[in-house]
DNA sequence: CCAAAAGTGTTGCTCCTACACCCATGC
DNA sequence: GCATGGGTGTAGGAGCAACACTTTTGG
């Protein structure tokens, strides 16, 4: 029998996911339309209740699979923060642990999900005035995007946003999409290949495109980038 | 009546605090001795249950006051992460939101606290093999210290660890204590005064010590440091 | 005077920026 | 050949590490 129950209040604990990927050169987030109250009909981050014997990270992976059809091998997952304002859910006391997931080549939302209506939305649009998200999900999304932007500076996270192997040009496009800013192509090339422990040359090339074939690399997205890339 | 109760399990939610300060030139953390089960007699991070109508940050501030006698104006508080492995508390399902607090001139633990035995322990000692902390608090402490170290690189957090106003020498000592590494005094001086928007010269000097009097500065600990300080 | 701590100068090197330029492919 | 994207060269400058030096106080 729980020892604390008489004395302390029970909470509901959920996980919510900020799932980011690049589609058509734009940074996009997966949103689902809520089928029930509260906030019925509004767009929300995918997520759900944590099970009683489940680790928080496992709950995030489970929701990733259930709501988005994405397996754990296709994303990098990191804890973003926990949101627990007393009335963030108008009906109960719900504390949510938000997670940031970065992936590439993620499936069109549909296969075997609860959420009937799920869609990839460019983050600019998801954060525009006209889009009203459920709960405090706008804030969570803002925090997630900012975290992703910051992490590109000093980790190899960008590599999680494109299928491997990739060309330097593709990696360059990821940085420009996420940061929304132009970066000198030539200097980018030198800098990124010179970073110790980040890229691994496969020896292959991408044939068949326009122009000179590009070398293909794989990358370790857990690598620390030193010195960091700067946005400015 | 809660809508979700029949369907989803209740959790207990706590906050735990990694409170860091500099004492005698060493980075120290506040630990309390547990008075009851579980883990009776072991050292633990201060913390406690979140109230039913309380924001998570407010709960952290309340525990800071109750367990350590520290008011919110004396620290900088930021969310560190949430820990919720199923059996981290052997008796109930408890999810804890950990917070990192940095302060200066913090009181000796005693005044009006529940925790009879609280003490400042150098971080090195708190993380040594011989010290066994309750729950998963060792991991939380490790994460907190690493976060603090990282944040000194690109924010003005160091200023939160010394009383204001302070001299460059004192700030220098903070960096060396937290990073456990020597930094060239002369280069430190130039770099830190040159960072835009970080230090503000008060026009005063610290008299009465040995050697030439040092200028006194105040700082904005929320400042972003660009370019960042590097540890290497 | 000397010791001690604050603060400045200087030098050589590294890295970055802003280009210009060459390379390898498809058509 | 030309267009297109990949990749390298280079000159100038900004910033940094290392260390010598000067300044201002107390005794």
């Amino acid at each position: 029998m729980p020892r604390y129950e008489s004395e302390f209040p029970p909470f509901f604990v959920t996980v919510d996911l900020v799932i980011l990927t690049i589609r058509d050169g734009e940074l996009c987030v997966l949103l689902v339309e809520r089928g029930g109250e509260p906030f019925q009909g509004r767009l929300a981050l995918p997520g759900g209740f944590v099970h009683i014997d489940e680790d928080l990270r496992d709950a995030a992976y489970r929701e990733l699979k259930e709501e988005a059809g994405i397996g754990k091998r296709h994303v990098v997952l990191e804890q973003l923060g926990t949101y627990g304002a007393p009335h963030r859910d108008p009906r109960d006391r719900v504390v949510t642990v938000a997670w940031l997931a970065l992936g590439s080549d993620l499936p069109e939302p549909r296969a075997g999900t609860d959420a009937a209506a799920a869609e990839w939305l460019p983050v600019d649009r998801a954060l525009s005035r006209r889009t009203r998200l459920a709960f405090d999900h706008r804030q969570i999304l803002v925090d997630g995007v900012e975290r992703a932007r910051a992490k590109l500076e000093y980790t190899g996270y960008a590599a999680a946003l494109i299928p491997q192997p990739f060309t330097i040009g593709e990696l360059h496009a990821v940085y420009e999409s996420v940061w929304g800013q132009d970066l000198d192509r030539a200097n980018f090339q030198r800098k990124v290949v010179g970073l110790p422990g980040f890229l691994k040359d496969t020896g292959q090339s991408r044939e068949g495109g326009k122009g000179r074939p590009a070398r293909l690399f794989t990358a370790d997205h857990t690598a620390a980038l030193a010195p960091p890339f700067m946005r400015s």
Side-chain angles (χ1 to χ4, degrees), chain A residues 26 73 145 193 197 226:
Chain A
E26 268 191 301
R73 269 156 300 281
V145 171
V193 304

Side-chain angles (χ1 to χ4, degrees), chain A residues 173-229:
Chain A
V174 169
Y175 272 87
E176 291 196 335
S177 301
V178 176
W179 284 349
Q181 151 180 144
D182 290 346
L183 297 171
D184 184 279
R185 193 179 52 80
N187 294 331
F188 181 89
Q189 177 121 206
R190 249 185 312 253
K191 176 137 189 183
V192 82
V193 304
L195 283 169
F198 182 30
L199 295 183
K200 206 162 61 179
D201 194 333
T202 62
Q204 316 274 97
S205 290
R206 169 101 68 223
E207 319 274 343
K210 295 183 191 174
R212 171 175 169 178
R215 283 184 290 167
L216 286 167
F217 295 85
T218 57
D220 181 3
H221 59 73
T222 65
L225 269 37
F229 260 97

Side-chain angles (χ1 to χ4, degrees), chain A residues 50-103:
Chain A
V50 176
H51 293 173
I52 192 64
D53 243 325
E54 183 179 47
D55 193 12
L56 299 175
R57 176 176 290 272
D58 293 336
Y61 277 128
R62 179 177 49 73
E63 291 293 341
L64 202 57
K65 190 69 191 173
E66 289 180 9
E67 296 231 1
I70 299 170
K72 62 166 69 178
R73 269 156 300 281
H74 295 92
V75 293
V76 184
L77 186 70
E78 92 170 25
Q79 195 181 303
L80 182 56
T82 296
Y83 299 77
H87 300 100
R88 58 178 295 281
D89 183 316
R91 301 193 295 185
D92 283 290
R93 186 66 204 270
V94 180
V95 167
T96 196
V97 182
W99 296 80
L100 178 63
L102 303 184

